[in-house]
Amino acid sequence: MRATTPLPPHVASELRPGAPPMVADFEREMLVALSTRPKCISPKYFYDAAGSRLFDRICDLPEYYPTRTEVGLLARHAREMTALFGPGADLVEFGAGSVTKVRLLLDAWEHPGRFIPVDISAEHLADASAQLCRDYPGLQVMPLAADFTRPLALPPQTRRIGFFPGSSIGNLGPIAAVRFLRQTLQSVLGGGLLIGVDLVKQPARLHAAYNDSAGVTAAFNRNLLVRANLELGAGFDVDAFDHYAFYEPVQQRVEMHLVSRRAQTVCVAGRAFEFAEGESLHTENSYKYTIDGFRQLARRAGFMPGAVWADDERLFSVHWLAAPA
Ligand code: AVJ
């Protein structure tokens, strides 16, 4: 997805002064998205409270295999994984969401250190962290509401372990993925990163995972427009956009789009933007990897790929990336 593009002046001047930072970011990036061709916006804007709840529902869908496959791997191999953490290290989770998967690690980790869940959805993170504190009274939990693709202000610590499940690395293109891993390497030096990576597989299986029969993924995708109407007063006719997701085998990624069924005008920060009939807003890429392909990417970022755990069907993988001091 596009890095934050500097704003054309006629857009910069339109920004609503005093808007909360997250809304200001959303407004700025939506204005850029609507001002360029093809129109595309970061998938991070899926995750308002409603979007986070919709994603939780996606994780339980029969077609969406990544979550249950990864949870199976974490449950089966948590002892081996946490043995690599060592005692008393801080555990930083990127994109922690509902903070469910980490419980499998906490239950197996002999001497856990502090837990720092990071997520862009502040409200969702606060609720999930409070519940974790109740369930793990001896654990020090320090939630951080932030965009994990940007450098994080982490509490000082000699040994940190990163935890990045769910194949959220897949939202970043290859170059941005290496950049993110390089940035993360700096914050886990002397420790390492435990990361979930969705694997290349039959296109039909991928297609089904992003086009579930219950329509939850479509609602999750459209929720970005609902959010733009709520927070930016955009006036999207949400029902006049089709959810369109497909696997693109050359770049080995699933793409999600919202395609306008008719010509329509939306208005953000007082400016009108046209959508032609059939024009799309590209909302997400989800890159898939082979195990060797991902290890090469991790090496390029400076990590030392170690143990890998994958299910028998090789649908999903979890990698330990050591970060020598
Ligand atoms: C959270 C980014 C890993 O790409 O599979 C699920 C998000 N998008 N269904 C993914 C998502 C559509 C998910 N990640």
Side-chain angles (χ1 to χ4, degrees), residues 2 6 9 90 136 155 159 176 205 214 219 221 236 238 246 256 264 282 297 301 304 310-311 316 323:
R2 175 183 307 110
D90 277 358
Y136 295 81
R159 186 179 165 79
R205 191 79 189 257
N221 198 3
F236 281 100
V238 176
F246 60 96
M256 292 221 305
Q264 58 178 298
H282 185 174
L297 188 104
M304 279 175 53
D311 61 299
F316 201 90

Side-chain angles (χ1 to χ4, degrees), residues 47 55 58 64 166-168 171 209-210 217 220 256 284 286 288:
Y47 302 97
F55 179 63
I58 287 174
Y64 193 75
S167 200
S168 291
N171 276 157
Y210 294 85
T217 309
F220 173 71
M256 292 221 305
E284 183 173 46
S286 192
K288 311 303 175 185

